[in-house]
Amino acid sequence: MRKIGVLTSGGDAPGMNAAVRAVTRAGISKGYEVIGIKRGFNGLINVEGKESRETMDAKIKELGVRDVSNIIHTGGTILYTARCLEFKEQHYISQAKIRCDELGLVGVVVIGGDGSFRGARDLSLEGVPCVGIPGTIDNDIYCTEYTIGYDTAMNTAMQMVDKLRDTAQSHDRCSVVEVMGRRAGWIALNVGLAVGAMAAITTEMPYDINEVADKIMKSKENGKQHFIIIVSEGVGDADGIAKKIEELTGIESRATILGHVQRGGSPTVRDRVNASKLGYNAVELLDEGKGNRVVAMKGGKVVDFDILEALSKKRKQFDKRLYDISRVISM
Ligand code: F6P
C-alpha cells in the first residue's frame, strides 16, 4: 500500500490536531496508509551522541481513522513537536531520506512555521516530496494570510486582556500586556483593536512613548479612568514600558506577559475549519504527485505555492489601515 507521512514541527498551535486528522482521513480515503512521525523531523533521524528516548520504530505511529477521533477540538499536537536544529545539516537530511525510503513514504505533510518549511524544502530536494501547511500562532509566513492557531491565540489573548481590564478598571490603572509574536505584530495589532487598547505597539510601526503617554492623558481629561496598552513580544520590555508610562502620566501601571497560555486551548471554529481544508488540500497535492509546495490561504480560499515562495525573505505587508483605524478609534 502507498504511504504518506505527517509531522508537526516548531511551536505548537491550536488546530494542528485538526490538520493531522484531516491529513489522516484524506490520505486513507485516497487509499494511502498514513504514518504519524513524532516530534517533528526528530522522528526521522537518530542524533549521534544524544541519548535517544525512543527507538526509531517508536518514533512513528500508523494513524488509522479512529486514532484521530476526538482530537479536532484539542490544542497541542498528538504527534508532539520540536525544533530540530540538526536538520540544518546535510548528514541528517540524508538520514531522513533513507528513513522515509525504509518506511516507504511517497510524501510527507509538514505542519509548522517557516523553520519547518525549510526542513520540508530540504527533504523535498533530497527526493521526498513534502507539502507544508502553515501552523504557527504568529501568522508570520509570507504568502498566506492565515496560519493555523492564529485565530485561537488571538481569542485567548483577547479573553485574558478582558480579565485584566476588570482589575485595571477597579484600580484606575494602566495595564501593559505583552502578547506573543517574536517577529510579527499581527496578534498585537488585532488584539489591541479587539480590546479597545489605547495603543498596540509592534515592531512594524514606529512608536513614541511620549505620544502614548499624551494620548493617555488626553483620554483621562476626557473621563477615561483605566488604560490598556498591547505590546508585541518582538518589542519586548513590557515592564519598562509600564514603568515609563507611570513616570510620564502618574497613572499606576502594571505589566503582564501572557506567554505560552496563547499557544494552548481548544481551537476556534476558524482554526478547525481552515486546518481541515488545508490538511485535505495538502494530501490532494501529494496525490497529484506534487511536492515542494505549501498550501496557503488567500482571500479565504486555499491556494498553493512553491515552498521557496513561502520562504522568501519578503515580509508580509503589515495591515497599516487596520493599525490606523485602531489608533483613530481608541480615544
Ligand atoms: O510559535 C511561535 C511562538 O509562540 C512565538 O510567538 C514565540 O516567540 C515563540 O514561539 C516561543 O517559542 P518557545 O516554544 O521556544 O518558547
Side-chain angles (χ1 to χ4, degrees):
M1 200 182 209
R2 293 175 310 161
K3 292 185 194 172
I4 55 170
V6 56
L7 61 85
T8 50
S9 157
D12 63 345
M16 279 185 164
N17 279 334
V20 170
R21 172 181 179 271
V23 168
T24 302
R25 293 190 174 170
I28 291 169
S29 76
K30 290 180 187 300
Y32 291 93
E33 201 173 291
V34 181
I35 305 296
I37 299 157
K38 296 187 202 163
R39 299 188 171 82
F41 293 102
N42 288 305
L44 293 172
I45 61 173
N46 197 10
V47 181
E48 297 96 9
K50 254 196 197 173
E51 203 185 316
S52 180
R53 273 186 288 172
E54 291 165 316
T55 64
M56 286 312 279
D57 281 346
K59 291 183 183 184
I60 55 154
K61 178 180 169 32
E62 190 186 329
L63 296 174
V65 170
R66 290 276 77 79
D67 294 308
V68 292
S69 285
N70 288 318
I71 63 166
I72 196 166
H73 63 294
T74 59
T77 157
I78 60 160
L79 294 177
Y80 305 93
T81 186
R83 295 190 170 95
C84 180
L85 297 179
E86 288 80 9
F87 215 70
K88 290 185 177 148
E89 295 171 35
Q90 181 56 43
H91 166 67
Y92 289 108
I93 298 165
S94 308
Q95 210 188 81
K97 153 78 171 139
I98 294 169
R99 181 64 178 144
C100 288
D101 288 348
E102 269 170 21
L103 293 169
L105 301 180
V106 297
V108 177
V109 176
V110 174
I111 307 166
D114 51 7
S116 315
F117 287 176
R118 264 185 284 280
R121 173 203 58 196
D122 294 342
L123 193 53
S124 288
L125 292 176
E126 200 67 18
V128 182
C130 292
V131 175
I133 298 181
T136 161
I137 65 164
D138 289 356
N139 195 27
D140 59 349
I141 299 177
Y142 178 74
C143 94
T144 185
E145 65 198 13
Y146 159 89
T147 56
I148 294 173
Y150 171 51
D151 192 55
T152 306
M154 287 192 295
N155 277 287
T156 300
M158 181 189 71
Q159 286 159 14
M160 295 295 136
V161 178
D162 285 348
K163 291 178 202 290
L164 287 168
R165 176 201 303 282
D166 291 345
T167 166
Q169 186 169 19
S170 309
H171 287 265
D172 298 316
R173 278 178 180 158
C174 174
S175 191
V176 177
V177 189
E178 182 188 295
V179 297
M180 268 189 168
R182 192 159 25 206
R183 288 174 297 129
W186 292 97
I187 299 178
L189 172 64
N190 285 275
V191 170
L193 180 55
V195 301
M198 275 279 106
I201 302 177
T202 73
T203 48
E204 288 87 349
M205 304 303 291
Y207 83 98
D208 176 350
I209 195 72
N210 294 299
E211 266 177 33
V212 175
D214 283 352
K215 196 169 181 195
I216 289 177
M217 290 313 284
K218 273 206 192 87
S219 302
K220 191 169 185 228
E221 281 157 23
N222 244 333
K224 193 165 171 66
Q225 285 171 303
H226 72 278
F227 307 89
I228 294 166
I229 307 290
I230 304 293
V231 183
S232 84
E233 183 187 353
V235 173
D237 200 24
D239 213 31
I241 292 175
K243 286 200 176 86
K244 194 74 193 161
I245 287 174
E246 183 162 320
E247 185 189 309
L248 292 170
T249 63
I251 298 166
E252 213 181 351
S253 302
R254 293 284 188 273
T256 305
I257 296 174
L258 292 187
H260 289 80
V261 70
Q262 295 159 98
R263 287 235 298 252
S266 181
T268 58
V269 170
R270 189 175 173 211
D271 276 330
R272 295 182 199 192
V273 171
N274 283 343
S276 303
K277 291 204 287 196
L278 291 165
Y280 187 90
N281 279 270
V283 173
E284 223 167 40
L285 284 177
L286 283 181
D287 192 43
E288 288 162 9
K290 295 182 187 155
N292 210 16
R293 310 285 299 166
V294 289
V295 284
M297 306 285 300
K298 273 257 150 88
K301 298 224 170 350
V302 180
V303 291
D304 60 279
F305 291 95
D306 191 297
I307 230 165
L308 294 179
E309 181 70 8
L311 288 175
S312 89
K313 290 270 174 276
K314 288 179 253 175
R315 284 196 81 179
K316 189 154 40 179
Q317 206 179 0
F318 202 55
D319 194 342
K320 173 92 176 25
R321 177 147 175 88
L322 194 63
Y323 179 80
D324 289 340
I325 291 172
S326 155
R327 263 169 75 101
V328 171
I329 65 176
S330 61
M331 47 176 69

